[in-house]
Amino acid sequence: MPLRQRYLFVCVNRRPDDAPKGSCAARGSEALHAALKSATAARGLARTVARPCTSSCLDVCTQGPVVLVEPDQVFLGRVTEADVPAIVDALAGGEWPAHLLLTRDEIDAG
Ligand code: FES
C-alpha cells in the first residue's frame, strides 16, 4: 500500500453514555469514520492522498467527535457526517472548514 499524503485519525473511543466526559463514539464517530472512508474513496483520494483511520482517545474529548489530520497537525472538532463533503474538499486542495478547526486553547482544555 502506498504512503498517503495525509492520515485522518478519527477517535472512536467509547465511554458509557453517562460518563461526564462523554466520548467520540457516543457522539457518532464510528459512522463519521465510515462516511470519511466512503467519501475519500468516491473522490479517488483514498489510495494516495488521504486515509481515514480509527484512533483511540486523542484527549480532546469535550470537542468530539474529533479528527486529527497528520502530518498537518490539524485538529477538527465537533465533526458530523454533514461536514464530510467539506473535509474531502479540503483534502482535494481546498481550505479546512473554519468552524471545525480547534483552537490551541480548545485542544489544551481537552
Ligand atoms: S473520546 Fe475522543 S478524544 Fe477522547
Side-chain angles (χ1 to χ4, degrees):
M1 273 296 172
L3 181 67
R4 275 69 162 197
Q5 295 170 14
R6 290 179 170 129
Y7 290 80
L8 282 67
F9 295 97
V10 182
C11 172
V12 294
N13 185 48
R14 181 178 291 281
R15 295 191 178 91
D17 289 343
D18 60 351
K21 222 173 180 180
S23 64
C24 292
R27 298 186 187 110
S29 66
E30 292 159 319
L32 172 65
H33 171 255
L36 283 167
K37 283 201 74 144
S38 296
T40 51
R43 286 280 290 269
L45 305 175
R47 294 187 65 82
T48 57
V49 176
R51 178 171 175 81
C53 305
T54 57
S55 167
S56 58
C57 179
L58 294 165
D59 209 17
V60 195
C61 316
T62 60
Q63 303 300 323
V66 296
V67 178
L68 173 60
V69 183
E70 292 288 2
D72 306 63
Q73 292 202 312
V74 166
F75 251 117
L76 306 176
R78 305 171 295 273
V79 185
T80 71
E81 288 184 64
D83 297 313
V84 167
I87 293 171
V88 173
D89 285 347
L91 292 169
E95 298 290 322
W96 294 113
H99 72 285
L100 299 179
L101 291 171
L102 294 182
T103 66
R104 185 61 193 243
D105 285 346
E106 289 173 320
I107 295 166
D108 289 344

